[in-house]
Amino acid sequence: MKKAILTINAGSSSIKFSLFGIEDNNLDLFYSGSVDIKKDHSVLKVIDANNEKIKEDTISNTDYSFLFQQLITFVNDTTEIIAVGHRVVHGGLYFKEPVLVDEVIIDQIQSLITLAPLHQPHNLNAIRIIAEKYPLIPQCVCFDTSYHMSQSSLAKLFALPRKLINDGVIRYGFHGLSYEYISSVLNSQLGEVGNQKVIALHLGSGASICAINHGKSVASSMGFTALDGLVMGTRCGTLDPGVIPYLMGEKGYSISEVVHLLYHDSGLLGVSNNISNDMRQLLVSNDPNAIEAVELFCYRAACEIGQLSISLGGCDALVFTAGIGERSPIIRQKICDYLQFWGIKLNSEKNNANNKIISDESSSKIVSVIPTNEELMIALHTKALCCKN
Ligand code: ADP
């Protein structure tokens, strides 16, 4: 049977996975898919490396542990899983690189749950279920924060008392696996400019921007938690911290209500007055609240680009990635319109075709679309840690 590495990205309402065959030390994507957990059933979808549907099954169960067993049974039918790699959102001060899972690591990940309440509990749940049901399969955890460890202490500091800074209340940055992948292909995709000052925009349901110099993270729009920075699907992004005591002192919000507000009810969903957190739906809506939510998303992204260019001391190229970044010409155009004073100019034809290079020849900087591949990054790290020959 063929040997394979399974990558897992476990969220609250879905488990995304990919299966990479491993032969002669090379990785080869067999298929990928998701288990979407609905109210009273779940749906397992699998597509092959060419995006062709292999399987779509409804499962009359929503229990996480049961679904993992279904998933592993399905995968094990055709391959031998020799290692599992997980995306874990927050590595705090503990994790500068991917590590193999053991009890101590599990406890450390557990202690970081309050820093990423939307994601971390589900990441951990997946690790625990596999450790319990399949104790012989080694597991590797890859953190979204690790890539940003290269940032200077200045880029990481909040202006808070030293005691809190020493306790780890600093900026960490997220989407590190996505930026690590983008960095790894910048040179092959963009040539020499890829080694210079690049601002990469990961625009998905969660969204952030990263300043990259010679492949290393210099600064990020995300901070202590994955709330900071850009307007996101349901997260608020940058907020005057004074809003929190106002909500709690004057409006009677409890801590959990504030957390819910900032993570689940804000962002595109909140500003559009609950029309949608999905950019596609907002882009076809004529409602003024939806239109303003889209405009705010783009304005704030452009403002962050300006700020990150200071961290880099310039900017040679912009790279768009993730769901919105890879597929929405209109959002890319709106963001770049704010940067006309830099001499940035898109070529509409190339932009509408989602080409690799979408800037016009007369543009002062290269603007590019590069699809991200967090799963491949996880699989590479997992192979490096678990498959030493
Ligand atoms: P995540 O992995 O964080 O859930 P994705 O990277 O898949 O997110 O991005 C999801 C976002 O991408 C959603 O807001 C969705 O509306 C948006 N999106 C996907 N395709 C398009 C498109 N063609 N035009 C605009 N937005 C799109």
Side-chain angles (χ1 to χ4, degrees), residues 16 202-206 277-280 283 322-324 327-328:
K16 292 183 184 157
H202 177 110
L203 307 180
S205 312
N277 61 345
D278 188 315
M279 186 57 91
R280 280 166 296 198
L283 283 171
I324 300 169
R327 293 183 213 111
S328 181

Side-chain angles (χ1 to χ4, degrees), residues 121-132:
H122 309 290
N123 304 158
L124 191 57
N125 202 4
I127 297 164
R128 284 204 167 111
I129 290 167
I130 293 179
E132 190 192 312

Side-chain angles (χ1 to χ4, degrees), residues 6-256:
L6 178 65
T7 67
I8 301 277
N9 182 356
S12 58
S13 58
S14 76
I15 303 163
K16 292 183 184 157
F17 62 92
S18 292
L19 191 74
F20 291 87
I22 174 162
E23 205 172 285
D24 300 333
N25 215 23
N26 290 321
L27 290 172
D28 177 25
L29 178 65
F30 285 166
Y31 53 77
S32 52
S34 60
V35 183
D36 291 315
I37 307 166
K38 314 269 184 200
K39 239 185 179 156
D40 54 1
H41 69 282
S42 305
V43 181
L44 167 68
K45 288 185 196 151
V46 187
I47 51 168
D48 68 16
N50 300 316
N51 275 340
E52 298 291 330
K53 187 155 87 179
I54 301 180
K55 190 177 176 71
E56 182 161 343
D57 276 358
T58 299
I59 304 167
S60 59
N61 199 315
T62 58
D63 176 63
Y64 226 68
S65 176
F66 177 85
L67 294 172
F68 261 102
Q69 283 177 73
Q70 292 289 106
L71 174 59
I72 301 225
T73 307
F74 167 73
V75 174
N76 261 340
D77 265 359
T78 49
T79 48
E80 178 197 349
I81 303 176
I82 56 164
V84 176
H86 295 264
R87 174 188 181 202
V88 174
V89 167
H90 214 305
L93 290 175
Y94 295 125
F95 301 106
K96 296 186 169 43
E97 54 196 20
V99 288
L100 281 174
V101 171
D102 62 21
E103 278 307 316
V104 176
I105 300 287
I106 287 182
D107 287 347
Q108 287 170 330
I109 296 173
Q110 164 92 32
S111 73
L112 297 167
I113 280 183
T114 49
L115 305 189
L118 207 63
H119 302 96
Q120 199 95 339
H122 309 290
N123 304 158
L124 191 57
N125 202 4
I127 297 164
R128 284 204 167 111
I129 290 167
I130 293 179
E132 190 192 312
K133 306 275 177 206
Y134 306 92
L136 296 180
I137 302 182
Q139 300 191 73
C140 163
V141 275
C142 307
F143 300 91
D144 262 329
T145 45
S146 300
Y147 174 70
H148 301 291
M149 291 281 176
S150 52
Q151 292 178 9
S152 70
S153 62
L154 212 53
K156 291 183 193 162
L157 278 187
F158 292 120
L160 286 172
R162 257 315 145 183
K163 164 92 182 68
L164 287 172
I165 295 168
N166 293 341
D167 283 350
V169 185
I170 56 169
R171 303 180 64 84
Y172 290 91
F174 297 86
H175 291 132
L177 290 161
S178 175
Y179 294 125
E180 190 182 4
Y181 173 77
I182 296 293
S183 294
S184 73
V185 298
L186 274 176
N187 189 248
S188 62
Q189 295 293 310
L190 303 186
E192 191 40 41
V193 78
N195 290 332
Q196 298 170 10
K197 295 167 181 170
V198 176
I199 294 183
L201 297 91
H202 177 110
L203 307 180
S205 312
S208 71
I209 311 189
C210 184
I212 299 171
N213 197 356
H214 285 85
K216 299 257 184 290
S217 171
V218 169
S220 156
S221 64
M222 275 184 170
F224 181 59
T225 66
L227 268 183
D228 205 4
L230 303 188
V231 174
M232 293 173 240
T234 61
R235 285 174 254 164
C236 59
T238 301
L239 183 74
D240 175 351
V243 172
I244 311 291
Y246 170 76
L247 291 176
M248 298 184 74
E250 301 295 324
K251 294 279 188 184
Y253 277 68
S254 66
I255 290 183
S256 61

